[in-house]
């Protein structure tokens, strides 16, 4: 399989070298030189990944040291559990597909993280989350992974594919697809024209809502360039502009405007959205990033409030080059379904901030990912080889499913990816001729003469289609997925941790496909594969698993 040399291949190189030394003739000078080149390349890649993560941590600590974040980032005190009117989109989890009938799987990339943060907040309160709030792809993609890094924004993705045993099903395999996006250097980052659209309705009058919104924006200000511009639009019973576009070098004016905000009134979100787009378009930066960041805890109940109308409005407006990201806060009347729809149609991210530490993650550690796109309309398509794979299921991405014909249609919208973002997707497959299949083999179908085992080691074929930010014609990357290939220990560690997250998410959802695999198994797998946990998110995850074991069922 064509792919970047895996990190950790040094051990394999050394073993080959030793074997050659033990041969009667010994290795030639050319062989020794080639192995040294391979060794140097692997070591250089490992150093590059580590250095990139260390630089992010240094920059984040310069804004707010982790010790300080931890001291102030515990969940806000909450009242006893009661009935809530939070709204989540209901969806059926992906079913098992027979390759003989449906060999091709197509979906849009997703880097949203709102589901994980919402689930974490509930578990830390001592309650199990609403099952509809659990979206596997957002649980998995919450974490950063050590995938090989691309070298140019012109080819913004590198794909790492690993086939390994499923921990919850003895006879099945997992196909782990990791796409790592190019990370823009600071000198490559364009200026930003940001419009903050802030919900200041009465329901935002809580410690983990409007006050946390203020703190979050102040963190982001510290990561922006002096020449970036910031505007603030608010909405409650009506919408209004409280800060015209102001350069970040005058951040005192921005902070003063934030500190004056008070919560009260109903929720004219539709009017606020219209005003925010007007402001962004009137000060449009043709050389930079133009983005609205909506911060809210709930629904729109004044003005334009119909979900389909709002989606259509946002979809039309993205053609102007102004994108929309949605950040959720608090609990009670949070309309996750609407926020997801707005972000997906607005070419932006959907995230959920439950603590100051999460604000630090989104607006400091991942600021470039949140603000600067490297590709848009990223689609992933996997075609399985019926001679090798009998059936498959995709873990998550239910709300991102696309038709097969949508893959080559550049008019079909898909996910947008920011600088440094990684996208992870996992398929579970049953190999042909192996036990453990969910669906009985047909007596008659697929028995025609001429069935061949051609490409018997080729499990499937992966296609990735995307557009560069300023282009409207898509590009294509493709590669075969091999059943047997070498995987280094570093990449396998990342794969195993993502698998632990995927298994945990399934257990929270319904555990339909995980058999006797348990929370304890998820805990052990995650604990063994934490790796370089720069910010402590992986350690926090292991503690969430322990909290889930004792959490109570909430009333929704």
């Amino acid at each position: 399989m064509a792919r970047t040399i895996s990190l950790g291949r040094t051990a394999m190189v050394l073993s080959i070298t030793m074997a050659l030394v033990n041969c009667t003739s010994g290795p030639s000078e050319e062989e020794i030189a080639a192995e040294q080149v391979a060794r140097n390349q692997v070591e250089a890649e490992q150093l590059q990944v580590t250095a990139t993560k260390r630089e992010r941590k240094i920059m984040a600590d310069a804004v707010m040291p982790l010790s300080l974040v931890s001291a102030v980032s515990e969940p806000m005190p909450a009242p006893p559990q009661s009935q809530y009117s939070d709204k989540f989109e209901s969806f059926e989890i992906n079913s098992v597909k027979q390759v003989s009938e449906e060999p091709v799987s197509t979906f849009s990339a997703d880097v949203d993280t709102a589901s994980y943060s919402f689930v974490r907040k509930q578990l830390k309160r001592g309650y199990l989350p609403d099952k509809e709030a659990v979206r596997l792809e957002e649980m998995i993609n919450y974490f950063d992974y050590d995938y090989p890094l691309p070298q140019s924004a012109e080819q913004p993705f590198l794909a790492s594919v690993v086939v390994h045993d499923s921990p919850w099903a003895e006879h099945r395999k997992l196909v782990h697809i990791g796409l790592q996006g190019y990370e823009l250097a600071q000198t490559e980052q364009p200026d930003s024209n940001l419009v903050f659209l802030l919900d200041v309705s009465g329901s935002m009058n809580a410690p983990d809502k409007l006050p946390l919104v203020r703190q979050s924006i102040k963190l982001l200000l510290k990561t922006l360039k002096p020449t970036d511009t910031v505007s603030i639009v608010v909405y409650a019973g009506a919408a209004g502009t409280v800060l015209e576009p102001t350069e970040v070098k005058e951040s005192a004016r921005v902070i003063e405007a934030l500190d004056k905000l008070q919560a009260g009134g109903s929720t004219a979100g539709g009017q606020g959205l219209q005003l925010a787009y007007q402001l962004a378009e009137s000060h449009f930066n043709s050389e930079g990033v133009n983005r609205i960041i909506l911060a809210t805890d709930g629904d729109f109940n004044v003005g334009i409030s119909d979900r389909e109308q709002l989606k259509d409005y946002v979809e039309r407006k993205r053609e102007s080059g102004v994108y929309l990201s949605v950040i959720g806060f608090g609990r009670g009347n949070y309309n996750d379904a609407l926020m997801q729809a707005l972000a997906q149609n607005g070419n932006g991210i959907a995230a959920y901030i439950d603590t100051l530490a999460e604000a630090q993650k989104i607006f400091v550690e991942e600021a470039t990912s949140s603000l600067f796109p490297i590709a848009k309309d990223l689609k992933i398509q996997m075609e399985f080889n019926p001679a090798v794979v009998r059936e498959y299921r995709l873990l998550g991405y239910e709300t991102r499913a696309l038709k097969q014909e949508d893959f080559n249609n550049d008019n079909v919208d898909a996910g947008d990816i920011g600088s440094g973002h990684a996208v992870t997707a996992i398929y579970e497959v049953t190999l042909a001729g192996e036990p453990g299949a969910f669906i009985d083999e047909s007596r008659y179908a697929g028995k025609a003469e001429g069935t061949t085992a051609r490409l018997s080691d080729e499990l499937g074929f992966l296609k990735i289609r995307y557009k560069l930010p300023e282009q409207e014609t898509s590009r294509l990357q493709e590669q075969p997925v091999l059943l047997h290939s070498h995987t280094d220990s570093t990449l396998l560690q990342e794969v195993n941790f993502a698998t632990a997250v995927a298994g945990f998410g399934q257990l929270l959802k319904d555990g339909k496909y995980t058999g006797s695999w348990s929370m304890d198994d998820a805990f052990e797998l995650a604990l063994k594969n934490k790796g370089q946990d720069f910010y402590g998110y992986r350690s926090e995850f292991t503690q969430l698993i322990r909290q889930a074991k004792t959490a109570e069922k909430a009333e929704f």
Side-chain angles (χ1 to χ4, degrees), residues 149-168:
L149 301 170
Q151 302 300 311
S152 168
E154 282 298 304
Q155 188 171 356
F157 299 104
L158 271 184
S160 298
V161 183
V162 176
V163 180
H164 65 112
D165 293 335
S166 170
W168 48 77

Side-chain angles (χ1 to χ4, degrees), residues 234-347:
V234 299
Y235 64 90
T241 302
V242 299
L243 182 72
E244 292 288 341
T246 302
E247 288 192 336
V248 172
K249 63 185 177 184
E250 300 181 66
S251 59
R253 288 182 56 197
V254 182
I255 292 172
E256 181 182 8
L258 285 170
D259 288 341
K260 289 181 179 179
L261 298 179
Q262 294 183 342
S266 52
T267 315
Q271 293 178 8
L273 202 56
Q274 291 174 306
L275 182 56
Y277 274 109
Q278 291 172 11
L279 195 59
E281 291 169 355
S282 65
H283 295 84
F284 189 84
N285 183 344
S286 59
E287 302 294 324
V289 170
N290 300 272
R291 186 179 299 275
I292 296 169
I293 299 177
L294 168 60
T296 181
D297 77 326
D299 212 341
F300 295 179
N301 52 34
V302 175
I304 302 177
S305 58
D306 178 75
R307 175 176 168 178
E308 292 304 315
Q309 278 187 292
L310 286 165
K311 281 175 55 179
D312 291 344
Y313 178 74
V314 169
E315 186 176 1
R316 291 194 305 271
K317 284 298 185 179
R318 74 165 182 246
E319 301 302 324
S320 69
V322 178
Y323 294 167
L324 172 68
S325 291
V326 183
I327 314 294
F329 291 82
R331 282 226 57 187
N333 64 327
Y334 180 62
N335 191 335
D336 176 83
L338 176 61
M339 300 298 104
Q340 289 283 325
L342 293 180
Q344 289 182 18
N345 286 274
N347 282 9

Side-chain angles (χ1 to χ4, degrees), residues 23 32 42 51 141 181 214 221 242 248 284 293 335 350 395 397 400 419 442 445 458 470 499 514 549:
C23 292
I32 293 174
V42 170
N141 285 316
R214 291 196 197 98
L221 286 176
V242 299
V248 172
F284 189 84
I293 299 177
N335 191 335
L395 276 58
Y397 291 95
R400 293 287 193 161
S419 168
S442 172
E458 194 170 296
E470 303 303 322
T499 301
T514 50
K549 291 181 62 178

